[in-house]
Amino acid sequence: MALFETKSALRESELPKLQTKSGELLIQIRACAVCRTDLHVIDGDLPDPKLALIPGHQIVGHIVERGPNAHRYDVGDRVGIPWLAWTCGSCRYCKSGQENFCDSAQFTGYTRDGGSAEFAVIDERFCVGTPDSCGDAETAPLLCAGMIGSRSLMKTGDAHRLGIFGFGAAAVLITQVAVYEGREIYVFTRSKNNQELARSLGVFWVGNSEHPPMAKVWMRRSCLRHPEQSYRLRCELFVREALSFVAEST
Ligand SMILES: [Zn+2]
Ligand SMILES: [Zn+2]
């Protein structure tokens, strides 16, 4: 499926067979997830996309051909193709491990063709290996939403209580990881559907960002109700009341 003009529908198209250059791989695509950024590209919100363009940058597929000097993977290997498709390798960002800031960077499904197709060509340095334990469709969203989410989650260190603003794909994925790790998650999202989804994933509190999170509300309520009690006891009462509220609302 190709985009010939921004703000227009994708059209099914027959395109010439792809050729690999040095260091590139030809991938037979098994799955390609859709990201909000794909919609921004199609809507013309991002400047100067390649046109005609095959969108999609969360691609999973098998290597069917290796170009000259491509030795990192074998034919038949399954790989993932993310947003970052190429960088110069010589600027200060590339040399300091921050190649995502490279001024000459190219991007899958934006300045290079992406994954809404049967085949794609990618520089092997920007592929990622994908373990066989996860299916093609389940692996594809990890290549953008999962990467963004895991980067954010890592920055929280070992914090027990996490607040998540908005509940898009990255949030949905890292919430599952954080809940599995036993963390207490507060989700701020306006959409009722997203609130339901967050609850179904086992988060501690869900609401929109106009409402203060429940820990704060219950703590204040506990202080007002039991002003004569010590701080320690008010904390205990808070925990008891908050837990009974959670039990009632689930
Ligand atoms: Zn994306
Ligand atoms: Zn660079």
Side-chain angles (χ1 to χ4, degrees), residues 108-121:
T108 312
Y110 176 32
T111 57
R112 292 174 66 125
D113 281 329
S116 305
E118 291 172 87
F119 295 93
V121 162

Side-chain angles (χ1 to χ4, degrees), residues 87-91 93-94 99 102-104:
T87 62
C88 77
S90 56
C91 71
Y93 294 117
C94 286
E99 62 270 33
C102 174
D103 288 333
S104 310

Side-chain angles (χ1 to χ4, degrees), residues 16-121:
K17 185 177 183 300
L18 295 169
Q19 304 292 328
T20 50
K21 296 198 288 276
S22 179
E24 290 183 336
L25 303 168
L26 179 65
I27 312 291
Q28 185 162 27
I29 296 168
R30 302 272 303 166
C32 180
V34 177
C35 172
R36 189 71 182 86
T37 303
D38 296 321
L39 306 184
H40 284 306
V41 171
I42 293 166
D43 287 343
D45 297 334
L46 299 185
D48 305 322
K50 170 187 181 290
L51 290 173
L53 171 72
I54 299 169
H57 58 269
Q58 302 177 96
I59 309 167
V60 176
H62 288 102
I63 297 168
V64 290
E65 193 181 301
R66 296 191 301 182
N69 306 312
H71 305 300
R72 193 170 170 191
Y73 299 97
D74 291 324
V75 169
D77 284 354
R78 191 179 74 152
V79 290
I81 304 174
W83 172 246
L84 192 62
W86 186 89
T87 62
C88 77
S90 56
C91 71
R92 67 190 173 100
Y93 294 117
C94 286
K95 285 187 167 167
S96 61
Q98 296 181 298
E99 62 270 33
N100 48 319
F101 295 124
C102 174
D103 288 333
S104 310
Q106 293 181 19
F107 304 99
T108 312
Y110 176 32
T111 57
R112 292 174 66 125
D113 281 329
S116 305
E118 291 172 87
F119 295 93
V121 162

